[in-house]
Amino acid sequence: MHFQWYPGHMTKAKRQMQEDIKLIDLIIELVDARIPFSSRNPDIDELGKNKARLILMNKADLADEKKTRIWSEYFKAKGYFVVCIDARSKNGMKAIQNEIMEACKEKIERDRRRGIKNRPVRAMVVGIPNVGKSTFINTYAGKACAKTGNKPGVTKGKQWIRLNKNVELLDTPGILWPKFEDQSVGLKLALIGSIKDEILNTDELSIELIKILLSDYPGALQGRYGAVKAEESEDTVAVNIEEGADAVKVLEKIAENRNCRTKGNELDYSKAAALVIDEFRGGKIGRFTIEMPAED
Ligand code: G4P
């Protein structure tokens, strides 16, 4: 599902979220582990300032593990609870229950003092489009519902999914609007495939991607595209894709390596551009995190 945001959308989404937040104890905020800054909308900090927060760094399977740990510490230092997950293959999901209980410890304690026993924690999932909200809810609720004896939901005005005796989840996630008016944020969202390809120039996008990889992950492109099979022979010829190399030249090497050619047998840069972006998004070139926390 791809979204184009207009002021009307944002106002509506914000209003809906303000209403929903009143009903819950905990915000489960999904971010993309490859771009944990650009894939979040900090307005949620204001909207949910009195609620406990669990940040799920999703798609951790595609991100750089070392940098994921740095980001995780960064969010923890801000007072959030953090779990790194891969909602699609269900990795990391086990740790979530415990973190929810930890994040809501104060509320549970407050209830206990007031003599309220066993009132489940109510939570809602929020995040920008494509960050994996539906995948997460399906993975998480699917498993939990099976565990509690196939009771899919409890209806009380809003649809709540009873995950277990301690947690209920609002069944519709809150959609946050991406902040792509900031150029660098927009670029990163485009690179991971969150913004419609049709409104972007794939050739330019691939050049930006190549520049980022050459500087942050020298060797990665060489590793995947550095060996070119010589024509009419089984031999491979090494090409040199190195730090500081010219991005257009690198794209040319990629076109050679993958034999991206037009009908007239010319190198087809656009085909190579689409290929490199596709392979990047699919994790085929490697696992990358393309931004780090700002020093503050
Ligand atoms: P949303 O509700 O926040 O809009 O996101 P959604 O769950 O629809 O997920 C968006 C895309 O991200 C889906 O791919 C989904 O499979 C993928 N995804 C979700 N979680 C993870 C994860 O942890 N790791 C990886 N690698 N991918 C994840 P899609 O291309 O739209 O669909 P499909 O290819 O799965 O059919």
Side-chain angles (χ1 to χ4, degrees):
M1 190 167 44
H2 290 284
F3 271 74
Q4 270 276 56
W5 287 93
Y6 302 102
H9 280 135
M10 294 183 203
T11 315
K12 195 162 169 246
K14 206 163 178 172
R15 214 175 287 140
Q16 182 63 51
M17 209 162 317
Q18 272 164 334
E19 287 308 306
D20 287 344
I21 282 174
K22 288 184 196 153
L23 307 172
I24 55 144
D25 310 297
L26 171 76
I27 296 173
I28 300 179
E29 181 190 2
L30 266 77
V31 303
D32 189 304
R34 294 167 294 175
I35 48 168
F37 171 76
S38 299
S39 62
R40 63 187 301 263
N41 184 326
D43 288 1
I44 191 65
D45 294 347
E46 183 55 32
L47 283 168
K49 62 175 182 253
N50 299 317
K51 305 290 172 178
R53 181 91 55 92
L54 171 61
I55 293 187
L56 298 180
M57 295 183 62
N58 192 35
K59 309 200 188 185
D61 56 310
L62 299 171
D64 177 330
E65 275 177 290
K66 219 161 86 194
K67 292 185 181 174
T68 298
R69 276 198 294 277
I70 295 171
W71 271 105
S72 174
E73 291 309 316
Y74 168 83
F75 286 131
K76 282 181 191 165
K78 288 194 174 296
Y80 303 133
F81 289 78
V82 184
V83 179
C84 305
I85 61 164
D86 164 2
R88 197 153 67 174
S89 72
K90 306 182 174 48
N91 272 334
M93 305 291 290
K94 270 198 201 122
I96 292 174
Q97 178 67 19
N98 198 31
E99 292 299 310
I100 290 180
M101 299 322 276
E102 279 297 314
C104 296
K105 224 173 174 169
E106 277 178 27
K107 175 232 175 283
I108 295 165
E109 184 55 29
R110 216 167 38 234
D111 278 358
R112 201 187 57 79
R113 278 201 305 269
R114 290 179 185 156
I116 305 167
K117 269 195 218 146
N118 302 331
R119 189 167 76 181
V121 164
R122 285 193 152 179
M124 78 182 279
V125 170
V126 306
I128 64 164
N130 264 313
V131 77
K133 297 179 295 300
S134 318
T135 310
F136 168 72
I137 292 173
N138 286 342
T139 302
Y140 194 49
K143 206 168 120 206
C145 288
K147 238 199 257 167
T148 51
N150 287 328
K151 253 174 69 188
V154 179
T155 318
K156 259 191 227 139
K158 286 268 167 192
Q159 288 281 325
W160 294 94
I161 306 170
R162 184 106 199 210
L163 295 173
N164 52 49
K165 71 178 181 20
N166 297 319
V167 187
E168 284 182 1
L169 191 67
L170 197 58
D171 78 336
T172 39
I175 302 173
L176 291 169
W177 50 104
K179 289 191 97 82
F180 51 54
E181 59 271 27
D182 171 336
Q183 275 218 339
S184 126
V185 169
L187 169 69
K188 288 169 192 162
L189 289 168
L191 286 174
I192 64 159
S194 258
I195 302 179
K196 255 188 166 162
D197 276 348
E198 295 89 272
I199 59 166
L200 287 146
N201 179 325
T202 311
D203 295 3
E204 279 172 32
L205 204 55
S206 76
I207 294 297
E208 294 304 323
L209 172 63
I210 289 168
K211 283 184 191 161
I212 291 173
L213 293 183
L214 287 174
S215 97
D216 292 4
Y217 292 94
L221 290 168
Q222 173 74 20
R224 182 140 183 103
Y225 305 107
V228 175
K229 197 169 257 179
E231 261 175 78
E232 320 235 332
S233 103
E234 286 304 302
D235 297 339
T236 53
V237 188
V239 296
N240 211 4
I241 298 173
E242 59 196 8
E243 200 178 349
D246 177 70
V248 178
K249 285 252 160 57
V250 172
L251 187 60
E252 184 181 316
K253 298 289 178 204
I254 294 171
E256 275 173 17
N257 174 289
R258 291 307 169 89
N259 207 17
C260 299
R261 292 193 178 268
T262 61
K263 283 197 183 111
N265 211 28
E266 305 268 325
L267 284 178
D268 188 337
Y269 286 74
S270 293
K271 212 166 164 182
L275 181 137
V276 72
I277 289 171
D278 203 50
E279 296 203 341
F280 168 76
R281 288 177 183 163
K284 294 199 177 104
I285 307 174
R287 296 173 61 171
F288 306 114
T289 300
I290 56 173
E291 63 190 6
M292 294 307 285
E295 311 214 346
D296 55 17

